[in-house]
Amino acid sequence: MNIGLIGAGKVGFSIGRFFSDGGVRITGYCSRNPDSAREAAAFTNSRYYSSIKDLTADSDAIFITVPDSAIRSVYEQVCTYDIKDKYICHCSGAMSARDAFAGIEETGAHGISIHPLFPVNSKYDSYRELSDAFFCLEGDESAVRIFTEILSGLGAHVQEISSDNKVRYHAGSVFVSNFICALAQVGIDLLTSCGFTPDSARQALAPLMRSNLDHIVRTSPEEALTGPLERADAVTIRHHLEKIDPSQRGLYRELSRELLTIAKKKHPERDYSEIEQILR
């Protein structure tokens, strides 16, 4: 399998190096930014391509690692060349292979999406941790089968999902990744309003966040749940809602309703009726 990549951003760098270090041959990179493509080629000991046509000709699989909004237009360029029996892949979490690669069956190529369930935030370092990540695959059956074998051979976890579930799957990822950033910022802002600096607030909250996340991962959200809602402390919850900014009360109530479902499951014997009334 010779893999060529179109796009030389964080995902392109990371996927390419992950494959390259595992012994999968990277033919090279082509990008709108030639300097980035040259840098990615050097990073993966592969070749810089000035044209998509040449990269496509030299590759068995073409990974389109560009922003979601550009995937379809890049695919349309790739389709102007002979791609029969080749594997066309994108790494978007929200877009299915079917949506991205319209009419691919007519070209004789195989479409697949391969999404690493991991926050790829560094061009140079994220690849080191991809062997611990889940890679979620969907698309052409033969392509899924082949890349499941390749990724499993590199030590990665692989999960196949259906095209119809792709957006729901991505929304689940956003809840536990991006939304955590929003919640952390709300917590930092509240501590800052109490006299902390942003740095000291972050440092103060860090052990709380790390410990809770570790418990969630090792056990479950139900087992990790603590705090006033879990112990049915309606007085504290009422005070919270009185003291926080009005703009934060809606978020507090919505999240508390979700926690209430978990708390009831954990403690079916407890009376949460007063808290239910507060949250309404």
Side-chain angles (χ1 to χ4, degrees):
M1 179 69 69
N2 298 316
I3 295 176
L5 296 99
I6 302 173
K10 290 181 289 188
V11 172
F13 266 67
S14 301
I15 292 288
R17 183 63 182 266
F18 178 63
F19 280 135
S20 178
D21 280 5
V24 180
R25 184 169 182 268
I26 301 299
T27 49
Y29 288 80
C30 182
S31 175
R32 184 175 58 182
N33 184 333
D35 291 338
S36 294
R38 290 189 180 94
E39 186 182 2
F43 189 61
T44 55
N45 194 29
S46 62
R47 175 183 167 189
Y48 161 69
Y49 285 84
S50 60
S51 76
I52 291 177
K53 178 180 180 181
D54 292 340
L55 180 140
T56 300
D58 289 348
S59 305
D60 302 310
I62 295 93
F63 275 57
I64 301 175
T65 52
V66 298
D68 287 15
S69 59
I71 290 173
R72 289 192 183 95
S73 62
V74 172
Y75 164 66
E76 289 169 1
Q77 294 181 61
V78 171
C79 281
T80 62
Y81 311 114
D82 181 13
I83 56 173
K84 187 175 185 297
D85 296 327
K86 295 183 185 289
Y87 300 95
I88 312 300
C89 172
H90 71 72
C91 298
S92 166
M95 189 184 300
S96 70
R98 179 180 59 200
D99 291 337
F101 306 138
I104 194 168
E105 297 84 3
E106 300 169 9
T107 70
H110 310 278
I112 181 174
S113 72
I114 299 177
H115 179 244
L117 196 52
F118 186 83
V120 179
N121 50 35
S122 169
K123 290 199 299 186
Y124 308 106
D125 298 312
S126 290
Y127 76 91
R128 304 177 194 275
E129 300 176 82
L130 287 181
S131 60
D132 293 327
F134 267 78
F135 283 77
C136 292
L137 280 57
E138 64 83 26
D140 178 274
E141 289 184 9
S142 63
V144 168
R145 185 170 60 251
I146 286 173
F147 278 98
T148 294
E149 182 178 343
I150 291 172
L151 289 164
S152 297
L154 296 177
H157 308 280
V158 180
Q159 175 68 47
E160 182 180 355
I161 60 175
S162 71
S163 299
D164 291 338
N165 286 332
K166 191 70 186 288
V167 174
R168 188 182 299 113
Y169 147 80
H170 192 245
S173 306
V174 167
F175 267 98
V176 301
S177 178
N178 307 133
F179 287 170
I180 285 178
C181 297
L183 293 175
Q185 189 62 58
V186 171
I188 290 169
D189 290 345
L190 283 167
L191 263 65
T192 301
S193 71
C194 300
F196 286 75
T197 67
D199 285 345
S200 66
R202 190 173 63 252
Q203 292 170 16
L205 292 170
L208 181 64
M209 292 189 290
R210 289 194 186 103
S211 178
N212 207 44
L213 183 57
D214 181 60
H215 289 159
I216 290 170
V217 171
R218 286 191 294 105
T219 58
S220 68
E222 180 182 329
E223 289 299 316
L225 181 61
T226 61
L229 193 145
E230 187 251 358
R231 60 179 181 265
D233 184 352
V235 172
T236 296
I237 290 174
R238 185 179 287 108
H239 286 165
H240 285 173
L241 287 166
E242 290 171 355
K243 294 297 183 181
I244 63 176
D245 190 275
S247 64
Q248 298 166 336
R249 289 173 189 164
L251 178 63
Y252 187 101
R253 284 194 171 94
E254 289 297 328
L255 292 173
S256 294
R257 291 187 188 106
E258 293 296 326
L259 288 180
L260 189 58
T261 301
I262 300 173
K264 285 181 175 180
K265 184 178 178 183
K266 186 174 182 178
H267 300 291
E269 77 287 355
R270 289 186 182 170
D271 182 7
Y272 290 102
S273 58
E274 187 175 358
I275 290 176
E276 289 178 322
Q277 180 65 33
I278 293 169
L279 296 179
R280 281 198 290 271

